[in-house]
Amino acid sequence: MELNKKATLTILILVISIFLVYIFNIGAYDLWSPDEPRYAEVGREAAVDDHWIIPHLNNRIYYEKPPTYFNLIGLSGILAGEFSVTAVRMPGIIISVLLLLSLAYFVLKKDGLKTAVLSTIILATTINFFWLAMKINLDIPLVFCTTLAALILFNNYSDFKNNKLTTIFAFFLMGLGAVVKSPISILPFITLTVYLLINKKAKKLKEIPWLASLFFMVLPALIWLFFAYQKAGYSYFETTVLDQLVGYSTGSQGHPQPFYYYLINFPAVALPWSFFVVPALYYYKKLKNERNTLLDFSVVSFLVIFIVFSMIGSKRNVYLLQLYPFFAIIVGWFFKQHLNGKIKEKKSIIIPMLILIILFLTVGIYLYLNGEALIAEELDFQLNKNSSFFTLYQSLYFLFTGAGIVFLLSIFTKKRYMFGSLVMFSLILIIMLKTLFLPTLNTVKSERYLAEDLAAAYNESAEVGLWGSLNNDSGFVFYNGIYYDKIFSEAEEVREFINSEGNQILIINEAEKLYDNFKQNDYQGFKVNKYRVGSDDMLLLIEKPLLTNSSLDSDNRIAGK
């Protein structure tokens, strides 16, 4: 389809609107522990300590990921003039919006404005996508690289010879994805190869300018590894590339799950659209005259990516984000056929809607009956002692019950109203997340409170220790810039630390570790403060001489206590 001003303006208005929704109230709640503050701190240290080549966390080498995205976070903080929550989240939001814009552009070219708008809306309002788009993570920039590379290669395959520069750029994007997170960024070439083999066009691969393409694909990694080797030697290459990047990509490290994990997980995290993919694939098979090559490629990409990630041993729901853009194209095409009258019956929409209705009403009723007890059990306080959590609890069951009722009413209306009800649910969920749910949960999820109390008591004579994990328990450093001096794994090391001369501050990632290994007399010279961070109670032990100028006056910073 030839682009025109009306179509271009429509897409721009849509994408800008999504951007405004994503950035709304983005700084009203702290970084979500443990990943967000850790990644933000690595980015901050890149900027303030000049660690652009070798990522650092707590002034120690951070081996788990390459530096590319952390450097973007660092640059964002520099441009903003401060390392605020908004500044460190902004790169991810911008990249997610650029991904949506790229998707809309290619779908507009191949299948028209309606499918472009529908696909963009579906991707933007899929729960797992918008959740990740609004927080710091490495998967959004990775999926941007792989999706754009895949769409460019697909667009060029009919005439690689006359599209050399953009083809080379696609390979460069795959290489860039590898230094963002993982060598799994090679997926676009795999999906294109399968697509061409299925369509008996594999000879087209010979037309790729292979020498230049491969050079620019490995160029980002070569540049990074050259300078990394100069600074840290072979041991860094061995740990970061061989053990971490390759290990996670092959599944030898990470999060092992069974083969069928995504069959269960994907429908839950890709709500509210996930249940429509089955009827969409059915009508893809049935309506052969309504297909287009982009839809064919999207179906192949969706299935190949799903199978590849199911075969890899390490599995998390964020890994499957790679197929979300193609999933959105498939479901967007499906709704277009309904809205254009190519699919006359309503049952292929009504059946997924009924599944959602049953699911949402069940969740709403369950929360109404058991939500108060669940919160009390998890957070160890009563809702009647904290009005904000009581409001959160009520809002949750009203949201799911109300959505179930609205979905039920919508099935008696026109198809476009059913689509609109799904979009409205996601928009309301985003607004409630950013104005109520996340700000309320902030008190039991953020490490900022611990960081502020540590900073209030800290002076240069103090020695700071951590009894916990370097990777999972260093997020507090982002808020105060105070690096801990020692990290402990054994109780005897901690005992020696708190009994040593000088002034000590100790952070413990799990309160039970102190109470199970020490008697109260062992730490009577310390003030102990407790903080709920996620599912754990963290402790901050401050030697009492350091409290002279401190405003600490409570033993608990857990909401409701």
Side-chain angles (χ1 to χ4, degrees), residues 301-352:
S301 297
F302 177 87
L303 295 175
V304 168
I305 294 170
F306 196 96
I307 292 169
V308 167
F309 278 98
S310 294
M311 293 174 64
I312 294 174
S314 179
K315 296 179 179 68
R316 293 180 67 196
N317 66 67
V318 294
Y319 297 167
L320 213 60
L321 198 69
Q322 297 293 323
L323 62 72
Y324 278 46
F326 305 106
F327 158 77
I329 292 172
I330 296 166
V331 178
W333 172 86
F334 169 70
F335 273 98
K336 176 190 174 182
Q337 303 313 311
H338 271 286
L339 297 177
N340 283 354
K342 300 296 182 180
I343 303 176
K344 301 294 184 182
E345 50 77 22
K346 291 176 67 175
K347 65 180 180 181
S348 58
I349 293 183
I350 289 177
I351 291 174

Side-chain angles (χ1 to χ4, degrees), residues 63 225 228-242:
Y63 289 99
L225 291 174
Y229 184 82
Q230 299 297 313
K231 281 184 170 289
Y234 177 76
S235 62
Y236 177 77
F237 169 82
E238 182 180 35
T239 303
T240 300
V241 177
L242 300 183

Side-chain angles (χ1 to χ4, degrees), residues 31 47 87 101 117 165 180 201 222 261 279 285 288 309 315 332 351 384 402 411 464 472 491 524:
L31 302 176
L101 183 61
V117 169
L165 289 179
V180 166
K201 296 179 180 179
L222 288 176
Y261 172 78
K285 183 73 173 176
K288 295 182 179 180
F309 278 98
K315 296 179 179 68
I351 291 174
N384 58 13
I411 65 176
V464 181
N472 294 329
Q524 62 181 354

Side-chain angles (χ1 to χ4, degrees), residues 236-271:
Y236 177 77
F237 169 82
E238 182 180 35
T239 303
T240 300
V241 177
L242 300 183
D243 294 346
Q244 294 292 332
L245 296 184
V246 177
Y248 274 91
S249 298
T250 59
S252 62
Q253 296 191 39
H255 312 271
Q257 296 289 348
F259 177 82
Y260 55 82
Y261 172 78
Y262 291 122
L263 290 172
I264 300 170
N265 179 267
F266 177 73
V269 297
L271 289 171

Side-chain angles (χ1 to χ4, degrees), residues 210-409:
W210 280 108
L211 187 61
S213 296
L214 291 175
F215 172 76
F216 279 97
M217 184 173 72
V218 300
L219 184 62
L222 288 176
I223 293 173
W224 166 50
L225 291 174
F226 172 79
F227 288 106
Y229 184 82
Q230 299 297 313
K231 281 184 170 289
Y234 177 76
S235 62
Y236 177 77
F237 169 82
E238 182 180 35
T239 303
T240 300
V241 177
L242 300 183
D243 294 346
Q244 294 292 332
L245 296 184
V246 177
Y248 274 91
S249 298
T250 59
S252 62
Q253 296 191 39
H255 312 271
Q257 296 289 348
F259 177 82
Y260 55 82
Y261 172 78
Y262 291 122
L263 290 172
I264 300 170
N265 179 267
F266 177 73
V269 297
L271 289 171
W273 307 105
S274 51
F275 295 113
F276 294 94
V277 74
V278 173
L281 291 173
Y282 169 78
Y283 275 102
Y284 165 77
K285 183 73 173 176
K286 186 175 181 179
L287 299 178
K288 295 182 179 180
N289 292 334
E290 300 301 323
R291 294 183 193 174
N292 57 73
T293 54
L294 177 60
L295 180 65
D296 294 337
F297 179 68
S298 297
V299 170
V300 170
S301 297
F302 177 87
L303 295 175
V304 168
I305 294 170
F306 196 96
I307 292 169
V308 167
F309 278 98
S310 294
M311 293 174 64
I312 294 174
S314 179
K315 296 179 179 68
R316 293 180 67 196
N317 66 67
V318 294
Y319 297 167
L320 213 60
L321 198 69
Q322 297 293 323
L323 62 72
Y324 278 46
F326 305 106
F327 158 77
I329 292 172
I330 296 166
V331 178
W333 172 86
F334 169 70
F335 273 98
K336 176 190 174 182
Q337 303 313 311
H338 271 286
L339 297 177
N340 283 354
K342 300 296 182 180
I343 303 176
K344 301 294 184 182
E345 50 77 22
K346 291 176 67 175
K347 65 180 180 181
S348 58
I349 293 183
I350 289 177
I351 291 174
M353 291 292 289
L354 287 173
I355 295 173
L356 287 172
I357 290 165
I358 294 170
L359 176 64
F360 280 37
L361 289 177
T362 301
V363 171
I365 294 170
Y366 180 80
L367 288 172
Y368 176 77
L369 296 175
N370 300 289
E372 188 169 351
L374 287 172
I375 292 176
E377 179 182 353
E378 177 65 23
L379 301 180
D380 193 27
F381 67 81
Q382 300 301 316
L383 287 182
N384 58 13
K385 295 182 179 180
N386 193 302
S387 59
S388 61
F389 273 84
F390 185 73
T391 303
L392 181 148
Y393 152 68
Q394 286 186 314
S395 300
L396 277 173
Y397 70 72
F398 276 128
L399 172 65
F400 283 100
T401 305
I405 293 171
V406 171
F407 292 164
L408 180 61
L409 295 174

Side-chain angles (χ1 to χ4, degrees), residues 482-495:
I482 299 172
Y483 302 139
Y484 50 82
D485 303 292
K486 296 180 179 180
I487 182 169
F488 309 111
S489 58
E490 302 294 336
E492 288 308 310
E493 297 175 310
V494 175
R495 190 181 305 277

Side-chain angles (χ1 to χ4, degrees), residues 8 45 238 266 402 436 494 516 534:
T8 303
E45 291 187 34
E238 182 180 35
F266 177 73
L436 176 60
V494 175
D516 291 346

